[in-house]
Amino acid sequence: MLRPLLRALHVQLRPPARLCRIHRAGLRGQDLLKSEQENWKVMSARYKDMAEKIKQKLEVFYDKYTFNQDRPMIRFGNFVYFEENGCILRSVADGDKGSAEVLLSTEDLCFHDAFIQRLRISPDERYMATSIKSSNSEESTCIIMKLDKLPVIERIIPNVFSFEWATNNVLFYTSQENLVCHNVFLTTLTNTKHTELVYTEQDPRFFVDICCTKDRRFLTINSNSKTTSEVWLVDCSHPFKSPVLVQQRTKGVIYHIEHRNDELYILTTYEQPAEYKLMKTPLGSCGMENWQSVYTLKEKTKLIDMEMFKDQCVMFLKYYNHLYLNVISLGSHSVQSVELPAWACAFELEPHPEYNTSACYFQLASPVQPPKRFAYSLVENHLIEQVEQEVPITLNCHTVHLTAKSKDETLVPITVFHNTNSKELHRKPLLVHVYGAYGIDLNMSFKAENLMLIDNGWILAYCHVRGGGELGLGWHRDGCKHNKLNGFYDLKACMMLLHEVGFSQPKYTALIGASAGGVLAGALCNADPELFGAMVLQAPFLDVLNTMLDIHLPLTIEEQEEWGDPLTDDKCMEYIKSYCPYHNIKPQHYPSVLITAYENDERIPLTGVLRYIHKLRKAVMDHASSKYKQGSPAPNIILNVQTGGSHCAPSWEDSLNEVAGHLAFLHRELKLEGK
């Protein structure tokens, strides 16, 4: 099954993972944190009343549109397993869901404010393994339960990233510590219980994940960096035998493995063009010199996900922000393309443990359209819209697709949403979203607050700049390392085009970014602050250079494939310095800025955020106190350090408060009181 493997790679294409402990900065860091916490108490009072009003409106939209928070059901053997309110339940397949039995409750296990990440059922359905993660931590705990008449906990394994059943009573798992995952273990649930180390990755640039092929013939040990991968096979019928290498890692070649009828199917970037392609080879001749082409993605196509079935492979693809799927016959290699609804911007594949299933289920959504369930019939070869519950369609929202011409003439897609009834769009507030890193697409999933904003006349714009993955692997390559400034030029071009065609104007425009999106947003804030009136950043990466120079951080070496290596390359150091938000702050006019950071965030150094906000505020004060600018109102520069929550993953209630606070800040700073 290739879907988890793609997601494992996306774990590697994640924002900078950092151990963030304020004591590393000593007394000065502690003083800065305390000062910012006191400042937040004072500044937040200005927005309190507005935030409360917005929160009340948000709750109405949340209640109306987020009616289905349950995870998709997983059918395995004679039962269906599903999550509901922090519990895992089981019911007889095709039976009454209301008569389901509770197998596990996170609250009963004292996992408060936690969610279930992964669920795996043993082949004979006697055991269930699941991982539970708190919103305040990066670590997950694996709970193994024996599914007797009364389910009982068999074992608890801390700090587990991924796991799969090899046999009825042998489980393989990877351990994670300090966001590094290098070791694979197996553990037995027989009378003679034991645990042993199976594999260790020595290269700090690589991250290890395990998966099971769809036909359950092999477990795959997948060692991935951001640009290179290597796979080892474990025969599920002989789990204690040493893993067998498929193909030794080759720099720049990514590959993932599936199995069918004694053939390996390989999803890989091997050979030109350097985009994903599906290849195959006999099981006994698995070296890449034997790989044969089955299907190659066309240029500028994004592979979102992929699922293998007995006779077909289904690829979910995006081409210039239009979603479609290709169904590849594994016998004839014929390809059938199926267009998906034009409104769809985001896609999520539902789990399909069954190899012989007759349909592929998935959900489609957009920033303003709640998830809607679809199925593709593998037998009848057509798309089926599920009608299990009514999903409200947003009728008063219009979608516009634009392309901005960047500095080097590259065309950059923009997706815009606005109220169809809005008049004088140049006077409406505009919220611009950006990310542009790690080959990850800008988040286009549904959020109830977007409907409230559209209802209130806001314009929402999503800039699909280079560095992200919207137009395939090349789109990422053209926006990372020595090409990082391309994403900056893309964002600037997008902002200018939006205003040129009549979507709002700078004084009513806000820029929003999270995590690595803070790099491009912060860079634009330094270089062209006149383009927008306010900026909101969530857990932002703002001090690129100092972070990449700190070898004590666990993922500095791994991150070099995204940002470059300033430790050994002077040109790289100067290049990073040219765009790094922290290093380019200067006394000038700035928009108002609100940053939310998290005390438990292990990915973004809090010390870097503190240094950034302190330097930015000083630059603003120096500019405001100049003889030429006396009397001019200074922008507000605010940092909110949340005592709970991890990287961009607050609890639902905290998230609601956070969104309300962000919107209250924008409402005041963009002077929308009378709009």
Side-chain angles (χ1 to χ4, degrees), residues 15 19 42 48 50 69 79 86 110 142 177 188 247 254 342 351 410 457 505 533 539 552 640 642 650:
L19 277 178
V42 175
K48 184 177 181 180
M50 177 58 67
Q69 295 295 326
F79 294 96
C110 297
C142 179
E177 185 176 359
T188 64
Q247 167 61 48
I254 296 169
T410 297
Q505 51 191 294
H552 299 291
N640 175 18
Q642 297 277 359

Side-chain angles (χ1 to χ4, degrees), residues 61 70 78 88 93 213 253 268 279 345 513 520 523 611:
F61 280 85
D70 298 349
N78 298 319
I88 296 178
T213 58
V253 176
T268 181
M279 307 183 84
C345 299
L520 297 183
R611 284 197 299 266

Side-chain angles (χ1 to χ4, degrees), residues 514-535:
S515 194
V519 174
L520 297 183
L524 188 67
C525 189
N526 286 326
D528 298 278
E530 71 283 354
L531 287 177
F532 49 103
M535 179 170 72

Side-chain angles (χ1 to χ4, degrees), residues 111-177:
F111 285 93
H112 304 294
D113 194 18
F115 57 93
I116 295 165
Q117 275 194 311
R118 192 175 184 131
L119 176 66
R120 296 291 185 268
I121 307 299
S122 65
D124 61 0
E125 298 189 72
R126 292 185 63 230
Y127 292 100
M128 175 183 75
T130 185
S131 56
I132 300 175
K133 182 180 179 296
S134 168
S135 62
N136 294 325
S137 172
E138 291 284 351
E139 277 88 28
S140 296
T141 300
C142 179
I143 310 293
I144 302 175
M145 302 201 68
K146 191 172 184 178
L147 303 181
D148 288 333
K149 291 184 179 180
L150 183 63
V152 294
I153 296 176
E154 186 77 14
R155 193 170 307 173
I156 297 177
I157 310 174
N159 303 327
V160 171
F161 178 75
S162 61
F163 49 88
E164 295 286 351
W165 293 99
T167 68
N168 293 331
N169 49 30
V170 177
L171 182 78
F172 281 68
Y173 66 91
T174 58
S175 62
Q176 178 178 345
E177 185 176 359

Side-chain angles (χ1 to χ4, degrees), residues 48-60:
K48 184 177 181 180
D49 291 343
M50 177 58 67
E52 189 58 38
K53 292 179 182 178
I54 292 175
K55 183 180 178 181
Q56 292 176 4
K57 292 181 179 180
L58 276 174
E59 288 174 339
V60 174

